[in-house]
Amino acid sequence: NREEIKMRSSNETYREVAERCSSYDVKDCPDCYSNSANEVSCLNCSHFCNEHCTLDLYDRIAKNL
């Protein structure tokens, strides 16, 4: 399924970007986590809202992966 592959790819990219981001800051509330609480991912970052990095760092990091 293409959508499933795209979602997995996006999740992998979120993880890789978060691992390389010097401003990564894990959200402080367990109910906010989209993934496992132990997983480093943009989806678990306090600067990531509505699929957008509020610090505008995502695109800069992602293009260098």
Side-chain angles (χ1 to χ4, degrees):
N1 180 331
R2 279 186 168 179
E3 196 60 35
E4 187 177 310
I5 291 170
K6 183 179 176 185
M7 180 186 273
R8 249 183 305 182
S9 171
S10 295
N11 287 339
E12 179 70 13
T13 303
Y14 286 144
R15 184 187 61 75
E16 290 179 13
V17 168
E19 287 176 347
R20 290 166 175 77
C21 183
S22 61
S23 295
Y24 175 76
D25 180 39
V26 70
K27 287 181 183 175
D28 201 16
C29 61
D31 295 338
C32 297
Y33 296 122
S34 309
N35 295 333
S36 163
N38 297 322
E39 184 177 337
V40 173
S41 171
C42 292
L43 298 173
N44 296 330
C45 181
S46 64
H47 302 120
F48 202 74
C49 182
N50 297 324
E51 297 185 18
H52 177 74
C53 176
T54 59
L55 301 177
D56 289 326
L57 296 173
Y58 178 85
D59 289 333
R60 282 188 260 168
I61 296 169
K63 76 176 183 181
N64 291 314
L65 293 178

